[in-house]
Amino acid sequence: MKKLNNEHGYVLLIVLFLIVLIMSSSAVFLRGSIGNAQQERRADESHLTVMAAEAGIDYTKIVLNNEFSSREEEMDNLVKQFIASTPKGQAVNYEEIHEQMMTKLSFYLEDAIQRHIGTGNAIKIIEPYEFRLVRYSFSSRSDREIVFEGEIEGIQEENRKVSSKKISFQQSFNIPDYSQSSEATGDGTSVVPPNMRDLYPDSTAAPDCKGKKVESTTCKGIKNNDYQLIQQSTVYFPNGLSIDNGNLRVYDSTIYSKTDLKVSNLNKIINSDLNIDGTFQAKNMNGIENSTLRIHGTASITSNTDMEKSNMLILGSAHLNGHLNVSKNSMVCITGSLTVDKQLIVEKGSKLVHWGSFVAFGGIRGDGEIIQANSEADVWDRCNLPNEQSIKWIKPTIIDVKYD
């Protein structure tokens, strides 16, 4: 076969074309790699400045929380002095007490900010990262709640180049409801339990509760809302509460219901007070810990009821379909009749005081006291609550965080 003279030329062109194609692809890939590396570096820098701002939030929280907790005993003592100085027979002005305590707490918290952080002062974390408090304010959201609002800037300064990110946040601080204090009269006598026929307070100025989870606020609840959680809050139910489905948990809170309170599943009541100026119904109530239930009307609980370091005060009658376990210095006080379908257990250190008829179909056991009172007044004389249960400080809580 005869070989063409220009065949080597075609091969050379193909080789040159492949070389150019490979070099072009390499350049594009290299530019992409460099671009990706730069983007990753910028993303890392942005992420680290956000972390610096978050560290600033944590530091600010610690400063405020430490100041808050360090003032609890001092403020409680000031309230006791105020109550003790009230002339005998004169009503204690709790509105004035709350106002004075709010003013004091605001001063203490702002002083802590100025002493430990200041405004605009850069606080070094680790080279080259720091944070500063850009701005802050304190405001009152209710007669017992102070809200701190601050903006923290995380900063990276390296080789004369500065990058920053800002985060704003809100933190809630609540003083106790001193009107529930056992130091309720000028002569120092106890008024616990309160008037069981009037458990709903006269003054309930508060905004409406939002959503199904109520946290760190004071608000008015809606009767037919399926609440899931009430935590570190004071909630008023002017029309009562009725939850046919769902599960409700109550932690570190005070609840007032002007009429009946009915829930299908009350999973937990911990460190809380429930004041029900009507009847109380619960299908499932898994546990009551370090809490007090005051019920003006009758009480009906379908499930087993286990109480630890808790009190149940009932002006009407009560019917429990399951067992009743009164343990760890708990107390049940009832002026009406009491029926327990299964076993009643009253452990040593706990007691049950009743005036009306009483029956436990599953038997009675335990070394606690079961006392038959002679009258309604005798029931309450035997059921004074310890003073330390009346004042409850709620832990400060972050209620909002916004990233710029």
Side-chain angles (χ1 to χ4, degrees):
M1 180 176 179
K2 186 176 180 181
K3 190 174 183 180
L4 296 174
N5 292 331
N6 61 350
E7 186 175 332
H8 291 289
Y10 284 112
V11 173
L12 180 60
L13 287 174
I14 292 172
V15 172
L16 288 173
F17 175 77
L18 291 174
I19 292 172
V20 171
L21 180 62
I22 292 171
M23 291 180 66
S24 300
S25 300
S26 299
V28 170
F29 177 77
L30 182 60
R31 282 197 300 271
S33 299
I34 294 172
N36 289 337
Q38 291 174 339
Q39 288 179 357
E40 289 176 1
R41 181 175 59 82
R42 286 193 292 268
D44 288 342
E45 291 175 351
S46 177
H47 178 65
L48 291 172
T49 52
V50 169
M51 290 181 64
E54 290 174 339
I57 290 178
D58 290 338
Y59 182 79
T60 305
K61 283 168 51 183
I62 291 171
V63 168
L64 291 172
N65 289 353
N66 287 345
E67 184 68 21
F68 180 78
S69 60
S70 70
R71 299 293 181 176
E72 291 180 8
E73 183 177 358
E74 174 190 342
M75 293 178 67
D76 284 346
N77 289 333
L78 287 172
V79 170
K80 291 177 182 178
Q81 292 173 16
F82 188 101
I83 294 174
S85 66
T86 301
K88 187 175 181 179
Q90 180 177 324
V92 178
N93 190 340
Y94 287 105
E95 289 185 4
E96 184 178 350
I97 288 177
H98 291 155
E99 184 177 348
Q100 290 187 14
M101 293 304 104
M102 289 280 283
T103 300
K104 281 187 174 295
L105 181 58
S106 294
F107 172 80
Y108 291 145
L109 294 177
E110 183 157 8
D111 181 64
I113 288 291
Q114 291 298 327
R115 284 186 288 112
H116 296 285
I117 302 175
T119 306
N121 300 328
I123 298 179
K124 189 73 67 178
I125 303 173
I126 186 173
E127 290 289 351
Y129 300 99
E130 58 190 22
F131 69 86
R132 65 187 181 97
L133 178 61
V134 179
R135 60 173 180 83
Y136 73 92
S137 64
F138 289 95
S139 60
S140 299
R141 198 160 69 171
S142 72
D143 61 343
R144 295 190 294 106
E145 182 184 15
I146 296 172
V147 175
F148 170 84
E149 183 174 0
E151 184 177 63
I152 302 289
E153 182 178 28
I155 304 169
Q156 178 190 16
E157 185 173 0
E158 191 173 17
N159 298 327
R160 297 183 179 180
K161 182 181 177 182
V162 179
S163 59
S164 66
K165 289 289 181 180
K166 294 179 181 179
I167 304 176
S168 59
F169 74 103
Q170 292 181 342
Q171 188 170 12
S172 172
F173 300 87
N174 290 269
I175 63 171
D177 184 358
Y178 287 105
S179 65
Q180 298 299 307
S181 169
S182 58
E183 305 285 338
T185 59
D187 58 5
T189 59
S190 174
V191 296
V192 178
N195 183 356
M196 291 293 292
R197 291 177 172 82
D198 188 16
L199 294 173
Y200 196 81
D202 295 330
S203 177
T204 57
D208 291 338
C209 301
K210 297 180 180 179
K212 295 185 178 182
K213 294 183 178 181
V214 180
E215 299 178 88
S216 304
T217 189
T218 298
C219 61
K220 287 185 178 180
I222 301 171
K223 178 178 180 179
N224 295 312
N225 191 24
D226 291 337
Y227 292 100
Q228 299 173 356
L229 173 68
I230 298 176
Q231 182 171 357
Q232 296 186 349
S233 297
T234 297
V235 182
Y236 302 97
F237 290 98
N239 300 308
L241 175 64
S242 180
I243 302 178
D244 294 327
N245 298 296
N247 301 300
L248 174 62
R249 295 165 294 148
V250 181
Y251 302 116
D252 304 301
S253 295
T254 300
I255 293 176
Y256 297 95
S257 179
K258 194 170 184 177
T259 60
D260 302 342
L261 191 149
K262 177 184 176 183
V263 292
S264 55
N265 299 298
L266 190 52
N267 278 352
K268 283 289 184 181
I269 305 175
I270 299 177
N271 299 326
S272 297
D273 287 341
L274 274 65
N275 303 279
I276 304 165
D277 215 1
T279 63
F280 172 69
Q281 296 181 51
K283 291 182 179 179
N284 297 299
M285 189 161 67
N286 291 341
I288 309 171
E289 299 177 19
N290 196 31
S291 298
T292 296
L293 276 69
R294 300 179 179 92
I295 304 167
H296 178 180
T298 61
S300 175
I301 303 172
T302 305
S303 67
N304 296 329
T305 303
D306 296 303
M307 301 172 59
E308 295 183 2
K309 299 180 181 178
S310 296
N311 307 287
M312 189 181 296
L313 314 178
I314 306 172
L315 186 61
S317 299
H319 185 184
L320 287 77
N321 295 106
H323 71 238
L324 173 59
N325 185 3
V326 188
S327 65
K328 297 183 179 179
N329 298 308
S330 293
M331 182 170 59
V332 175
C333 302
I334 180 168
T335 63
S337 62
L338 172 62
T339 302
V340 182
D341 288 351
K342 295 185 179 179
Q343 192 173 60
L344 170 65
I345 306 166
V346 183
E347 293 186 359
K348 185 176 182 179
S350 299
K351 66 180 179 181
L352 184 151
V353 181
H354 66 97
W355 180 32
S357 61
F358 161 61
V359 60
F361 290 108
I364 303 171
R365 67 180 180 89
D367 298 323
E369 297 180 89
I370 298 179
I371 303 171
Q372 171 77 62
N374 298 318
S375 64
E376 179 182 328
D378 189 28
V379 171
W380 304 133
D381 285 343
R382 297 173 181 271
C383 293
N384 282 335
L385 304 184
N387 292 349
E388 60 268 18
Q389 293 200 25
S390 55
I391 296 178
K392 294 185 178 181
W393 285 83
I394 297 174
K395 295 179 181 179
T397 306
I398 294 293
I399 56 177
D400 189 29
V401 178
K402 294 180 180 178
Y403 289 77
D404 290 348

